[in-house]
Amino acid sequence: MADLAGGRLHGTHHDLHNDHLVCHLVVEEQVRLTTLTDVQRDRTLVKVSVPLIEIEVAGQAIEPTTVETADATTLQVLWSRTEPPFNAELRLHLDGPSLHSTLQVWGADVGLRFRFPFLAHLCATDEPDAIELLDAGTLRMPEGETIFRHSDWPLPKVWLGAGGAAVTLLGGVTDPDAVQAVDMWAEDGVAAVAEREIHMVWQAELNVHAGGWPAAWDLFRQRVRRDFDLQQYERPELAWYGDQLVHHFTFLYGREILNLETEKFEIDRFLDEGERLFGGYDGMLIWGVYPRIGVDERTQWDFHDDLPDGRAGLRTMARRARERGTRFFVPYKPWDRSADLHGVAAAAPDHEELARLVVDTEADGVFLDTMSAISPEFRSALDDARPGTVFCSEGRAKGKAFELITGSWDQSPTRDTLQGNWSAAPEVMPGVDVWRFVFPEHRLFVIDRHAMGTDRRHVIQRGFFGGTGWVVWQDIFGLVLPYTPDEAALLKHCRTILREQREALWTATPTPLIATSHPQVYCNEFAGERKRLWTFYNATGAPVEVRLPSLVPRASTHFIDLWNDEEASTDEQGLPCIRLAAHAVGALGELPCLLGVSADHGDVRVRDEVPGAWLEMRQAGHATSVQISGREQVELATLRASRQEVAVVRLMLNGELLDQIVLPASAIDERT
């Protein structure tokens, strides 16, 4: 143990080591880190002697009072003073390829500041000039705004080197309200603590690893997820929710579904229109209470009885919607106090009334109006009444609420809170929702109900770029803001691509902001077991062609420009390139080579057995399909290919695109 009282033991040395890391420290006025070495890769991460940590109290630097090496992997540093009262303890511990640090601080009105100077000298490889730093400060939009949305944890700070070598810093505090500094990992490493009595615990991990940015993000994801109980997301009866992409806000008094002359709901006409405009609805949320509620004693439960044909009519609607692939949602309004205001006693508690409504209408889900949390008794009531019913909240479910609510709206903020949602803030692109890339099993649906023009296009693009879902809301309580033909076509194209790439889209390990060859082109990666998907956004005002410099192709695969429905071109290194229009999204897919063409281009071959699959040919707006039984050859003439048009031949299974080849007109001319 080194006791620094009076500086008697300045110059003592402490070494920490395991099979992965070696850490040399020397005690002077501060504890200095002299070297940090990655043993497995034989590289020095910190090469100069630099203070490990510096602490200021009331504007004055203080020295540690005790430094103790507990064992070969653990070091403890203590600080203590009486005026102002202050105590701190830093514990360093080597755990595999990670250096863990825990700083605990106790004090009263101490005006604490602490920093870790050694971070400024950290190198991921032995070539400092090749180091790239990625964090919340460097990953920004061209105008400088943060690209991350809903960043509820300190984001990773990553030093990247050649060949995927990386060092990733993760950390946070138990009392984030006490910390004034927004960025825990600012260049000077400073975090200021509010002038009040505190007990703060700050924890960090310095991880040395391969795999570059994707592996760094996965470390961050694992760290966050370990604090959550995700049992609700693993329930088989709720798994259907994972395929939801486009939801419709169905205002029951509007013309989209209600025939004003017959006063009947026309569910088939409504769903037909949804298929024509948007490629179909995966879910519909009926809305027949607000804004009419409140003028009399009727509660939200009564309104469902007073709709055409009452609850029985809604049940018929729900059944028909499900027959056509659309799930049925009912709303719950916690703010409904109509009975109380009119002196009428409630017939039953809300969770019982809601369970009864779900049973009566055979609803698949409940939308939690204005809510971001729900008490467990509601979950239990639905499980008893109708298992398989999901929750979707209007507000973002976070913390413990996130463990019960498996879907949320990603609703844009407002310009002016006094005007409410009538003044939606401008939409900007790109945007990365942190929760989407940490908890991909949680369904998110982007929505900005009053967005029009460029703002609405950005909403659609954001949903595609982030691989989330959308809410189509055209009748906002009587204010009708229909999608233009171009907007509807854009959403339909986005939905179609994502629906055909579900295996990759719903991967458990998505990675945001993969590096591209252009500084203003952004990319997210969704890597499935058999296929990969990349979504792009071009933030420039001109068309560009980009590639992914770090991409390593998988064996026996090829690349498809999914947005333009064509084989991706390649550069001199054989890496795929993708063309993007100005301020536009795009998509690249890596698919297994399951289709081939015979030498005379007369037949399409299926190389692997795929029971239940279909071969589909698209040509000049016309599509023809034939079901196949296994490995076989199919004559192009069977698919009625035209002699004059390029043909896209696709292998499909349950709506999933397994492989695709593009045949020029010359390739199908002879035999057809």
Side-chain angles (χ1 to χ4, degrees):
M1 177 186 294
D3 185 347
L4 296 187
R8 291 189 297 272
L9 295 180
H10 284 190
T12 58
H13 292 260
H14 298 266
D15 291 338
L16 303 180
H17 58 86
N18 63 13
D19 292 339
H20 297 269
L21 297 173
V22 174
C23 184
H24 297 291
L25 304 108
V26 62
V27 180
E28 297 177 351
E29 290 83 2
Q30 305 290 344
V31 178
R32 301 181 69 86
L33 178 66
T34 57
T35 58
L36 177 62
T37 304
D38 175 5
V39 177
Q40 298 288 324
R41 299 170 182 84
D42 191 26
R43 58 184 179 176
T44 304
L45 305 177
V46 175
K47 302 180 180 181
V48 297
S49 177
V50 62
L52 175 73
I53 182 173
E54 294 178 345
I55 294 182
E56 294 181 6
V57 173
Q60 295 184 342
I62 64 170
E63 296 184 12
T65 54
T66 303
V67 181
E68 178 182 10
T69 304
D71 54 43
T73 61
T74 306
L75 179 78
Q76 185 181 50
V77 185
L78 302 177
W79 295 261
S80 181
R81 62 183 299 170
T82 57
E83 189 60 37
F86 170 78
N87 291 278
E89 174 187 337
L90 175 66
R91 183 177 183 271
L92 294 183
H93 177 67
L94 297 182
D95 183 8
S98 302
L99 173 62
H100 293 252
S101 59
T102 302
L103 176 66
Q104 294 195 67
V105 177
W106 301 265
D109 300 332
V110 295
L112 168 72
R113 295 175 67 86
F114 64 91
R115 64 192 184 107
F116 295 86
F118 81 95
L119 295 177
H121 300 271
L122 200 60
C123 296
T125 68
D126 290 329
E127 298 100 26
D129 293 339
I131 300 299
E132 180 182 10
L133 178 62
L134 296 180
D135 61 11
T138 61
L139 294 171
R140 290 186 173 272
M141 300 184 195
E143 295 78 11
E145 301 100 326
T146 178
I147 199 169
F148 290 103
R149 299 165 58 94
H150 302 285
S151 301
D152 293 296
W153 309 272
L155 292 170
K157 191 179 189 78
V158 185
W159 291 261
L160 295 176
V167 178
T168 296
L169 183 64
L170 305 171
V173 295
T174 57
D175 183 10
D177 293 335
V179 180
Q180 293 175 342
V182 174
D183 184 4
M184 293 294 293
W185 312 130
E187 278 190 21
D188 58 3
V190 172
V193 177
E195 304 262 343
R196 63 177 177 81
E197 185 173 352
I198 58 169
H199 174 210
M200 183 194 74
V201 179
W202 181 89
Q203 295 179 316
E205 303 172 15
L206 194 65
N207 300 277
V208 181
H209 60 90
W213 171 251
W217 186 267
D218 192 48
L219 287 169
F220 169 66
R221 175 170 41 235
Q222 293 178 43
R223 179 184 174 92
V224 172
R225 289 173 65 92
R226 69 191 184 195
D227 294 330
F228 287 80
D229 180 354
L230 301 175
Q231 292 184 61
Q232 291 291 328
Y233 295 87
E234 298 167 358
R235 293 173 55 182
E237 66 271 28
L238 304 182
W240 63 266
Y241 200 23
D243 261 353
Q244 300 281 289
L245 282 173
V246 176
H247 276 196
H248 185 274
F249 187 99
T250 311
F251 189 52
L252 293 179
Y253 304 108
R255 297 176 185 271
E256 285 182 284
I257 193 168
L258 179 64
N259 186 318
L260 299 182
E261 295 181 358
T262 64
E263 297 185 353
K264 297 293 183 182
F265 296 126
E266 297 179 343
I267 182 66
D268 282 302
R269 174 179 62 82
F270 165 75
L271 295 175
D272 289 344
E273 190 71 355
E275 290 180 4
R276 183 182 68 83
L277 290 174
F278 308 109
Y281 301 129
D282 300 296
M284 58 182 293
L285 165 62
I286 63 165
W287 199 267
V289 180
Y290 179 85
R292 293 193 172 193
I293 193 171
V295 298
D296 54 30
E297 69 278 8
R298 286 182 300 167
T299 67
Q300 59 183 306
W301 320 115
D302 298 324
F303 271 84
H304 293 92
D305 298 321
D306 295 342
L307 292 168
D309 298 324
R311 298 190 180 200
L314 295 177
R315 182 167 61 249
T316 300
M317 183 190 299
R319 290 176 177 175
R320 181 56 180 158
R322 266 190 305 277
E323 288 173 0
R324 298 191 52 174
T326 301
R327 296 287 185 154
F328 189 81
F329 285 69
V330 295
Y332 168 59
K333 306 178 186 310
W335 46 262
D336 173 19
R337 293 295 175 263
S338 300
D340 294 342
L341 293 174
H342 289 86
V344 179
D350 275 7
H351 65 277
E352 294 181 10
E353 290 282 13
L354 179 60
R356 186 177 300 116
L357 176 64
V358 166
V359 170
D360 290 345
T361 61
E362 297 183 1
D364 301 294
V366 173
F367 177 75
L368 304 174
D369 183 36
T370 73
M371 304 175 72
S372 57
I374 193 72
S375 65
E377 62 188 4
F378 281 80
R379 180 69 267 172
S380 298
L382 292 188
D383 288 342
D384 292 340
R386 185 170 167 80
T389 307
V390 300
F391 284 129
C392 179
S393 59
E394 180 176 9
R396 291 299 293 265
K398 297 182 178 181
K400 286 296 180 183
F402 183 84
E403 298 176 355
L404 284 180
I405 301 172
T406 55
S408 303
W409 277 11
D410 179 12
Q411 189 163 207
S412 297
T414 58
R415 288 189 182 96
D416 183 351
T417 56
L418 295 179
Q419 295 184 39
N421 54 39
W422 291 89
S423 60
E427 292 285 346
V428 293
M429 275 291 290
V432 169
D433 192 301
V434 173
W435 288 73
R436 165 63 178 94
F437 289 87
V438 173
F439 298 100
E441 56 269 81
H442 185 82
R443 291 285 70 77
L444 287 172
F445 303 90
V446 295
I447 171 64
D448 188 339
R449 67 186 75 176
H450 291 104
M452 299 178 66
T454 300
D455 286 337
R456 180 176 278 174
R457 186 174 71 252
H458 283 165
V459 172
I460 298 170
Q461 291 176 330
R462 180 157 55 86
F464 182 79
F465 179 67
T468 65
W470 300 266
V471 178
V472 172
W473 191 351
Q474 300 185 106
D475 190 334
I476 304 100
F477 315 131
L479 173 65
V480 180
L481 301 176
Y483 279 57
T484 67
D486 286 346
E487 292 165 351
L490 175 61
L491 178 53
K492 185 176 184 178
H493 193 46
C494 290
R495 178 190 186 272
T496 299
I497 292 175
L498 294 189
R499 179 149 293 284
E500 293 181 348
Q501 302 298 322
R502 298 191 306 278
E503 179 189 314
L505 181 66
W506 303 134
T507 176
T509 56
T511 305
L513 302 179
I514 295 291
T516 75
S517 59
H518 194 292
Q520 293 186 33
V521 174
Y522 303 86
C523 176
N524 297 323
E525 180 182 67
F526 306 89
E529 183 177 344
R530 295 178 299 175
K531 56 197 292 193
R532 288 189 286 183
L533 167 70
W534 294 268
T535 57
F536 295 82
Y537 179 70
N538 174 16
T540 76
V544 296
E545 184 174 79
V546 295
R547 59 186 179 86
L548 302 176
S550 300
L551 175 61
V552 178
R554 294 175 175 177
S556 302
T557 62
H558 66 127
F559 294 91
I560 298 293
D561 181 340
L562 296 168
W563 191 264
N564 296 302
D565 209 16
E566 61 188 20
E567 193 82 14
S569 60
T570 55
D571 64 9
E572 57 275 9
Q573 283 85 38
L575 294 177
C577 303
I578 184 170
R579 296 177 293 108
L580 299 168
H583 299 298
V585 290
L588 178 72
E590 183 184 29
L591 306 179
C593 295
L594 301 178
L595 294 178
V597 184
S598 61
D600 63 356
H601 297 119
D603 300 317
V604 176
R605 301 191 312 275
V606 181
R607 294 188 172 122
D608 289 341
E609 290 190 9
V610 188
W614 289 76
L615 269 183
E616 173 187 283
M617 176 176 282
R618 291 181 176 178
Q619 216 173 18
H622 178 75
T624 305
S625 300
V626 59
Q627 191 166 19
I628 59 176
S629 57
R631 275 195 201 125
E632 57 187 83
Q633 293 190 174
V634 179
E635 289 190 9
L636 290 174
T638 304
L639 296 173
R640 298 193 297 276
S642 164
R643 296 180 179 224
Q644 288 80 31
E645 302 290 343
V646 171
V648 178
V649 182
R650 295 150 47 92
L651 182 64
M652 307 291 296
L653 179 65
N654 299 324
E656 180 88 15
L657 177 63
L658 303 183
D659 192 17
Q660 171 176 311
I661 56 176
V662 180
L663 303 178
S666 58
I668 60 175
D669 186 58
E670 281 187 35
R671 291 286 298 273
T672 60

